[in-house]
């Protein structure tokens, strides 16, 4: 409901955007947390956010998530990636729900996204971003970045960082296409750029060098890629 928090403990996924859109309809708040943190750091995030729903991932990060003291204890916890039998708790939960809920008015001045910042006074703080701020930022940032309905953005940077997420949201608001990869994998990125005609991505300097190395035999066509946010770093 309104003001409730939804916590994401996992790598990049289209389900983060799916959760943000669901939360926007309800007046809830989504926090994609830094999955690279230690179990103790993740415990702080869970205690501070007090989520009604936590969506978590087993692959690559599950050991760290399950090592937290709060695992499974605060609100509802749903694993989003499939288990050994191919079943996703998240998808099973969705399938059991009503196909459409009631439409309610949500004040656009309310927060929709929460991003944990660097520590002030010893502990991270959850910075709240409102509906109005996301739309306003997207309408300014989108044209400045050349984001249109033809834009195809590869979410390869971490979505718990606003530098990636602001382009994700701007691409959605401007009617473009978001494509998601769990994390930086140079050869997989090259393959997806080629297959999906990706036009923009968050790629910092060292990652650019990795892409060039992965495609040194020119087997992938990367000519569609024209906007590399962060490539100057």
């Amino acid at each position: 409901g309104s003001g409730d928090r939804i916590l994401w403990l996992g790598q990049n996924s289209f389900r983060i955007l799916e959760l943000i859109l669901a939360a926007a309809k309800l007046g809830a708040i989504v926090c994609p947390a830094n999955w690279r943190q230690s179990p103790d750091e993740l415990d702080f995030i869970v205690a501070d956010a007090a989520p009604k729903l936590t969506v978590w991932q087993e692959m690559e990060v599950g050991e760290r998530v399950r090592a937290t003291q709060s695992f499974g204890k605060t609100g509802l916890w749903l694993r989003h990636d499939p288990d050994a039998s191919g079943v996703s708790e998240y998808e099973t939960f969705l399938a059991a729900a009503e196909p459409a809920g009631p439409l309610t008015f949500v004040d656009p001045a309310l927060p929709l996204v929460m991003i944990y910042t660097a520590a002030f006074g010893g502990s991270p703080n959850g910075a709240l971003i409102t509906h109005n701020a996301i739309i306003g930022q997207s309408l300014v940032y989108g044209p400045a970045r050349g984001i249109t309905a033809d834009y195809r953005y590869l979410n390869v940077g971490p979505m718990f960082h606003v530098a990636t997420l602001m382009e994700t949201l701007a691409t959605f608001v401007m009617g473009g296409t978001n494509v998601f990869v769990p994390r930086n994998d140079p050869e997989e990125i090259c393959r997806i750029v080629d297959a999906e005609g990706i036009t923009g991505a968050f790629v910092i300097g060292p990652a650019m060098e990795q892409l060039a190395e992965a495609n040194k035999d020119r087997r992938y066509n990367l000519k569609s890629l024209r906007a590399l946010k962060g490539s100057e770093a």
Side-chain angles (χ1 to χ4, degrees), residues 18-223:
E18 190 171 78
L19 287 169
I20 290 173
L21 296 175
K25 182 179 178 181
L26 298 171
I29 303 165
V30 176
C31 175
N34 183 351
W35 55 269
R36 296 183 180 131
Q37 294 180 103
S38 70
D40 286 345
E41 290 171 321
L42 290 177
D43 261 324
F44 171 83
I45 299 297
V46 174
D48 188 65
K52 281 288 186 73
L53 168 65
T54 300
V55 182
W56 68 285
Q57 175 179 319
E58 175 63 41
M59 183 181 293
E60 297 191 40
V61 300
E63 183 176 355
R64 189 172 306 171
V65 173
R66 285 185 280 102
T68 62
Q69 296 294 319
S70 51
F71 179 72
K73 296 178 182 177
T74 304
L76 176 65
W77 287 63
L78 295 174
R79 175 177 164 179
H80 88 90
D81 56 336
D83 60 21
S85 61
V87 175
S88 161
E89 288 182 346
Y90 176 88
E91 295 297 340
T92 300
F93 181 79
L94 290 187
E98 292 296 325
L103 291 176
T104 57
F105 172 78
V106 174
D107 185 349
L110 290 174
L112 173 57
V113 173
M114 180 164 66
I115 299 292
Y116 273 89
T117 66
F120 292 94
S123 300
N125 290 268
L128 298 172
I129 309 171
T130 68
H131 295 243
N132 281 338
I134 289 171
I135 294 172
Q137 174 182 268
S138 298
L139 293 176
V140 172
Y141 179 82
R145 288 282 296 165
I147 298 174
T148 66
D150 296 324
Y151 195 71
R152 302 180 69 82
Y153 178 57
L154 183 62
N155 287 263
V156 60
M159 294 181 71
F160 56 75
H161 197 293
V162 71
T164 297
L165 197 58
M166 66 189 298
E167 192 141 347
T168 309
L169 296 170
T171 299
F172 178 81
V173 169
M174 302 305 293
T177 300
N178 277 291
V179 179
F180 301 86
V181 290
R183 36 113 180 95
N184 183 35
D185 180 332
E187 186 161 344
E188 178 70 356
I189 292 170
C190 288
R191 185 191 69 78
I192 292 175
V193 170
D194 187 355
E196 300 289 340
I198 298 298
T199 53
F202 184 93
V203 183
I204 61 173
M208 270 299 298
E209 295 172 4
Q210 293 172 353
L211 291 182
E213 176 64 23
N215 197 40
K216 63 183 178 182
D217 58 0
R218 306 292 184 183
R219 58 182 154 156
Y220 300 110
N221 182 356
L222 308 183
K223 290 182 179 180

